[in-house]
Amino acid sequence: MTDEEFRDQLDRHGGDLALWPADAARDARRLLLRSVKAQAMLDEMVTMELALGRSEDRPPPGLADRIFAAAFRLPQSDRGFDEDGDQPPRLM
């Protein structure tokens, strides 16, 4: 496996080699033993996946459902439009 092939596999399967097809993971492990570039690519992918996967960065469960429920419970006149119904109110 070359560094370019490794990058392609990273993009396809992510930074956890246990989730890769067995043959590709075996070849990747061999490449990682000799390629600093591949090691850096793997580190970068794992760091990115960890940053994107943080639970505190996600909205609380059910937030979208609560927003839609609250929006559709409002009477028509409280939806934020003027009497003519063609302009939203100014915020400032």
Side-chain angles (χ1 to χ4, degrees), residues 4-78:
E4 292 76 26
E5 292 168 332
F6 182 74
R7 169 56 78 186
D8 182 57
Q9 294 296 319
L10 271 177
D11 291 342
R12 291 172 187 257
H13 305 294
D16 185 353
L17 297 182
L19 301 176
W20 289 28
D23 291 347
R26 183 193 65 237
D27 293 344
R29 286 185 184 94
R30 288 180 182 158
L31 177 66
L32 287 165
L33 291 173
R34 67 179 193 278
S35 173
V36 174
K37 184 176 179 180
Q39 293 167 12
M41 287 188 281
L42 180 61
D43 288 344
E44 177 185 8
M45 178 64 77
V46 170
T47 300
M48 182 178 60
E49 289 174 343
L50 288 172
L52 292 174
R54 289 184 183 159
S55 62
E56 65 268 9
D57 292 339
R58 294 183 180 154
L63 178 62
D65 293 335
R66 292 194 307 268
I67 291 170
F68 280 106
F72 290 109
R73 275 196 306 263
L74 294 175
Q76 188 69 28
S77 62
D78 292 336

